[in-house]
Structures are given as C-alpha cells and as structure tokens.
Amino acid sequence: MDARVDDALEKSGDASKNSGMPNQRPSRAEAENAVRTLIAWAGDDPSRAGLIDTPARVVRAYEEFFAGYGCDPQEELDRTFEEVAGYNDMVLLRDIDLESHCEHHMVAIIGKAHVAYMPTGRVVGISKIARVVDIFAKRLQTQETMTAQIGNTMQAALKPHGVAVLIEAKHHCMTTRGAHKPDVDTITSHFTGVFRDDPRIEQRFLSMIRGAY
Ligand SMILES: [Zn+2]
C-alpha cells in the first residue's frame, strides 16, 4: 500500500473513530470465517471437534465486547432531576467496573472508573453515569481516549460546574504479551471546571476515591 492511501485510510479511520458502525458491516458468516482464519493462523485446525463451534462463540462474544457501537451516550444523560432539596455538592461514583478492549491488540483492559461531577441544581440518575462508562468501554479503545470521552460527554450533557474522571486499569496486552508486566496499573484522569481549577476540590475527589473522607 502506498503512503498516500495509507494516510487517507488513517484519516478516514480517525473521522469515524468510536462514532459507530463502520460503513459496510460484514455478515456474521464473514466474521466467523475470519475467526477460522485466525485459528488456522495460530496453528490449529478449525474443523476439529473442539473448535467447530468456536467461531460462532467468538462472534457472539464480540457482540458483547463491542456493544457500545450504535449506542448514544449523550442520550443516556438526557433526563435530569431538579428535585434534590438544593443538593449542590459533589456526586461521585467510585469503583465502576470497567471492561474494555485496546484498539492496538484487541485484548482486554480491565479496571475501575471513578466519575464525579459538581451539579448545577440538576442531577442525573447515577446508573446513567455507569451506562456512559459502559458505552465507551464496549468499543475498541485507548484508555486515554475513553477517559476524555466520558468526561467530555458528561460536561456537554449536564453542563455541571465540573467533571472528574479517573480510570485505573490493567492492559492485558502488557500482561500476557509484549512487555509482560502484569502488575502495572495505568492511571488516566480528565478534570474540567472546578475539578481542574480548584486544587481543594481536586484533592477531595482524590481522597474520596481512596476511601478517605
Ligand atoms: Zn494493546
């Protein structure tokens, strides 16, 4: 492939990055065939008894792993509630389980997300925040991208005084291959508004996610 074609593909890939389904989605049969090819590439026989149903299972697993395509995270945050007796302090969801897949190796990223916001008189159902995390996690991701996407979506939809997102995760592409460093946690954070501008509020968030409050 020449460099220009490569470049153009890269750009079109960027434009559609994480935005939903690709233009031409292959059929289920094509996807299963691709799994057969990978099994053969690994050195096994895709037609042996133990592997015969594997392509169908892998494709069903992919439907779960990547269920976030075609879901609109903004929509989850559409309904807000004003009746909160004047509550105006931080709302924090700590230890949201995070299961994602890295876009470089398509293997698991497993960790926790902590998401907080400082409401402006209106709050959103807390399960919706966990749902936003899931929608972005169930796509091919980098941890950095996902952290920013969660923060920016919350900020745009709720227009709060600020949002804090912190993700700590293990990347299986670093534990079971490549660098083989199973104990490394990758930590990323994204702060907007008061979490970014007021060190006391940032500090409160960081202590609260550690369980010290
Ligand atoms: Zn990776």
Side-chain angles (χ1 to χ4, degrees):
M1 195 182 290
D2 81 40
R4 268 171 314 142
V5 175
D6 215 343
D7 197 32
L9 278 177
E10 183 106 61
K11 278 188 187 125
S12 68
D14 273 356
S16 63
K17 192 176 188 182
N18 286 314
S19 65
M21 293 295 181
N23 293 335
Q24 285 178 313
R25 194 181 190 200
S27 68
R28 181 174 295 268
E30 286 174 311
E32 289 179 8
N33 272 329
V35 177
R36 273 179 210 103
T37 302
L38 286 176
I39 292 171
W41 170 251
D44 213 318
D45 172 10
S47 66
R48 75 174 168 83
L51 288 173
I52 200 80
D53 293 327
T54 298
R57 284 193 208 96
V58 171
V59 169
R60 282 199 298 275
Y62 265 46
E63 286 177 314
E64 269 187 60
F65 295 160
F66 303 113
Y69 291 110
C71 296
D72 181 357
Q74 197 100 20
E75 217 168 75
E76 298 292 330
L77 303 174
D78 271 356
R79 262 189 80 210
T80 54
F81 305 90
E82 285 183 59
E83 233 178 294
V84 286
Y87 184 87
N88 64 359
D89 202 356
M90 187 187 310
V91 178
L92 164 67
L93 273 77
R94 187 173 70 193
D95 290 342
I96 304 167
D97 284 311
L98 178 105
E99 299 166 350
S100 190
H101 285 80
C102 87
E103 66 184 29
H104 301 133
H105 306 93
M106 299 176 76
V107 295
I109 302 171
I110 302 289
K112 300 278 187 192
H114 315 284
V115 181
Y117 71 107
M118 196 69 86
T120 43
R122 24 186 343 110
V123 299
V124 70
I126 47 176
S127 67
K128 304 294 186 182
I129 296 172
R131 177 86 186 120
V132 168
V133 170
D134 273 349
I135 289 174
F136 284 120
K138 302 283 182 198
R139 298 178 181 186
L140 288 168
Q141 278 292 9
T142 72
Q143 187 174 325
E144 295 88 336
T145 305
M146 180 163 44
T147 307
Q149 285 174 326
I150 295 164
N152 291 333
T153 302
M154 296 268 301
Q155 183 64 45
L158 304 177
K159 303 197 171 44
H161 293 303
V163 171
V165 181
L166 189 143
I167 294 178
E168 42 195 330
K170 292 198 194 305
H171 291 237
H172 286 199
C173 59
M174 256 189 86
T175 62
T176 58
R177 60 160 295 288
H180 294 281
K181 296 283 177 281
D183 297 325
V184 176
D185 278 315
T186 302
I187 298 175
T188 48
S189 61
H190 183 85
F191 296 125
T192 67
V194 290
F195 291 95
R196 182 196 52 211
D197 299 334
D198 186 337
R200 287 167 311 169
I201 293 176
E202 180 187 341
Q203 207 47 54
R204 257 185 81 212
F205 167 77
L206 294 172
S207 335
M208 283 166 88
I209 66 173
R210 297 285 161 240
Y213 42 80

